[in-house]
Amino acid sequence: SRIRARSDGTYEARGALTIKERPIEIDLPFTLRIEGDRAIMDGTARIRRDEADLGMASDPDFEYVSREIVVRVHVEATRVR
């Protein structure tokens, strides 16, 4: 829903990630490199496992798995002329 530049030269995207038909608001800090007609974006966000309802039936007390899930995003785009 929003992308903004940060003071350190990186960017941040804010939006909803839908898992199991459940939208979860996330902030995704990312870097963006533009090399000629090519753009490369890399970012990492963390979501709470209970917000996404992942693993709650098998491990609701988080004894065997972490409370957070790391979501990594890598996008490469090429401008077509």
Side-chain angles (χ1 to χ4, degrees):
S1 60
R2 173 187 91 196
I3 295 178
R4 70 176 181 93
R6 295 172 18 165
S7 62
D8 63 359
T10 63
Y11 299 87
E12 181 179 83
R14 169 167 269 207
L17 174 65
T18 302
I19 299 175
K20 292 183 164 184
E21 300 181 24
R22 177 184 302 203
I24 302 166
E25 287 293 320
I26 65 165
D27 292 319
L28 175 75
F30 67 93
T31 58
L32 178 65
R33 290 190 338 255
I34 304 211
E35 302 168 350
D37 287 340
R38 195 163 169 239
I40 301 132
M41 177 257 205
D42 285 292
T44 303
R46 297 178 184 279
I47 60 172
R48 288 190 358 233
R49 190 175 295 279
D50 55 347
E51 277 187 324
D53 191 26
L54 295 172
M56 300 312 295
S58 60
D59 190 17
D61 296 323
F62 305 103
E63 291 182 48
Y64 306 107
V65 295
S66 67
R67 289 186 186 272
E68 289 187 331
I69 298 170
V70 176
V71 178
R72 291 187 180 92
V73 178
H74 176 81
V75 177
E76 293 187 29
T78 303
R79 182 186 340 223
V80 178
R81 296 182 187 243

